Amino acid sequence: MSETKLNKQLNITKPLKLKPVFRKVSPDRILLYGFLILIAVILLGPFIWLVSASFKESKDIFSTTFTLFPQREDGSIYFSFENYTGAIEYLQFGSLFVNTLIVSVVTTIINLFFNSLAGYSFARLKFKGRDLIFKLMLTSMMVPGTVLLVPNMIIINKLGLYDSLGALMVPFLMSVYNIFLMRQHFLSLPRELEESAIIDGAGWFTVFWKIAMPLAKPICVVLGIFTFMWNYNNFLWPLVVINSPENYTLALGLGALISASNTSAENYPLMIAGAVVVSLPLIIIFALFQKHIMKGINVGGVKG
């Protein structure tokens, strides 16, 4: 039926324009979507295999044919949940998760407070040697973290914190990278609000806590999540300063499980299931705070 006849039947005086059902897609957009799909497959492929293999028996893990779901020789699908129960029991997931959560949360909170305070000081306060101190601090970012292992361990020993959860927190209560990002964000904020508060008699800390910090919530959320994830995944430093199993973190527990799995192929399903269990909390955190992460990154990209 033509548009003219349809307009007459519906008593429409103004011509009705019918939109096409399918929009024409440009070749550039097709190439873009194809490229993004390829990147997604490359990034998600190993994790999909990890989750699939965590439900398999050891003989099926080394099979040359990949199947999305575990299958027996007769083609029937099965799921070996014993891998997860064995991995959780070996990892002592409850106590290790509590240790990891304490270290990550406490370090993140103190890190954000100190780094935001330092960033605001470099951005707003004027004191002798400010720019020189900031430049020297930035140069420390060029030093590899492994070079600082021995000096940090000596300091931890002198403080009497060796083989304790405190040893996992103290070296990471400050971060030059976070200070730099906080300083750049505070520099982008308008000075008028702070100047009016100072005229009303507010001190610098009051201005920082009541005015600057509420405006810096998006970047604080992003840095807080990244700091939490870094401390959650940290393996090398706990390996150096922790000896007692009761002070292990999930990263150390997973490392011990991997070492045990190397001695026998029968332990490979436990190792893979343990890797899924350890990574699951981070996936949940990212899913819950995805909008805040993107918002903070956009704010940092526009204003920083």
Side-chain angles (χ1 to χ4, degrees):
M1 182 181 295
S2 64
E3 292 187 21
T4 305
K5 292 182 180 180
L6 182 60
N7 292 336
K8 289 182 179 180
Q9 291 183 3
L10 297 176
N11 296 324
I12 299 176
T13 57
K14 188 176 181 180
L16 178 64
K17 294 183 179 180
L18 298 178
K19 296 182 179 180
V21 179
F22 300 100
R23 297 175 60 184
K24 186 177 180 181
V25 182
S26 62
D28 295 341
R29 189 168 291 272
I30 294 176
L31 291 175
L32 177 61
Y33 286 156
F35 177 75
L36 293 177
I37 292 173
L38 178 62
I39 295 299
V41 170
I42 293 175
L43 294 177
L44 295 177
F47 186 75
I48 293 175
W49 179 89
L50 187 74
V51 175
S52 175
S54 66
F55 292 101
K56 295 181 179 180
E57 297 176 355
S58 58
K59 60 183 180 62
D60 296 326
I61 291 178
F62 297 98
S63 176
T64 56
T65 58
F66 172 77
T67 55
L68 185 60
F69 298 102
Q71 293 183 0
R72 303 187 187 277
E73 294 181 357
D74 58 358
S76 60
I77 297 176
Y78 73 95
F79 293 95
S80 181
F81 291 98
E82 292 81 5
N83 298 336
Y84 282 93
T85 57
I88 292 175
E89 182 180 355
Y90 185 93
L91 285 174
Q92 299 179 357
F93 184 80
S95 60
L96 267 62
F97 180 74
V98 171
N99 291 343
T100 306
L101 196 64
I102 291 174
V103 171
S104 301
V105 171
V106 173
T107 304
T108 300
I109 293 174
I110 299 177
N111 185 291
L112 284 180
F113 176 74
F114 284 158
N115 292 336
S116 60
L117 195 62
Y120 187 80
S121 301
F122 283 117
R124 288 292 189 257
L125 301 184
K126 294 182 179 179
F127 52 89
K128 188 175 181 180
R130 181 190 65 175
D131 296 335
L132 178 61
I133 294 174
F134 183 71
K135 291 178 181 179
L136 291 175
M137 187 181 64
L138 289 182
T139 57
S140 65
M141 296 177 63
M142 308 302 294
V143 180
T146 52
V147 176
L148 302 177
L149 285 178
V150 174
N152 284 336
M153 187 175 66
I154 294 174
I155 294 174
I156 291 299
N157 272 326
K158 294 293 184 181
L159 293 175
L161 296 176
Y162 186 79
D163 196 18
S164 67
L165 295 183
L168 304 179
M169 304 179 194
V170 172
F172 308 105
L173 296 181
M174 297 292 292
S175 170
V176 177
Y177 181 73
N178 288 358
I179 293 174
F180 170 75
L181 290 182
M182 293 301 297
R183 173 185 178 272
Q184 297 304 110
H185 184 75
F186 286 132
L187 285 175
S188 66
L189 298 179
R191 293 177 176 267
E192 288 75 11
L193 294 175
E194 301 173 3
E195 292 175 352
S196 61
I198 293 174
I199 292 174
D200 291 338
W204 278 112
F205 185 81
T206 303
V207 174
F208 160 76
W209 190 252
K210 297 290 186 179
I211 298 176
M213 282 302 290
L215 296 176
K217 281 183 179 179
I219 193 67
C220 285
V221 170
V222 175
L223 294 181
I225 293 175
F226 288 161
T227 303
F228 178 89
M229 294 173 63
W230 192 91
N231 285 278
Y232 185 95
N233 291 322
N234 192 10
F235 173 75
L236 182 59
W237 177 247
L239 183 65
V240 173
V241 297
I242 298 297
N243 289 328
S244 303
E246 60 270 16
N247 292 328
Y248 273 17
T249 60
L250 284 175
L252 281 179
L254 182 60
L257 180 58
I258 293 174
S259 299
S261 300
N262 290 332
T263 60
S264 175
E266 296 295 327
N267 294 327
Y268 266 75
L270 298 181
M271 176 188 68
I272 297 174
V276 175
V277 170
V278 172
S279 61
L280 191 59
L282 291 182
I283 296 174
I284 295 174
I285 290 174
F286 182 81
L288 292 176
F289 294 96
Q290 183 178 5
K291 293 183 179 179
H292 299 283
I293 293 174
M294 297 306 300
K295 182 179 179 181
I297 292 175
N298 291 334
V299 169
V302 174
K303 294 184 178 182

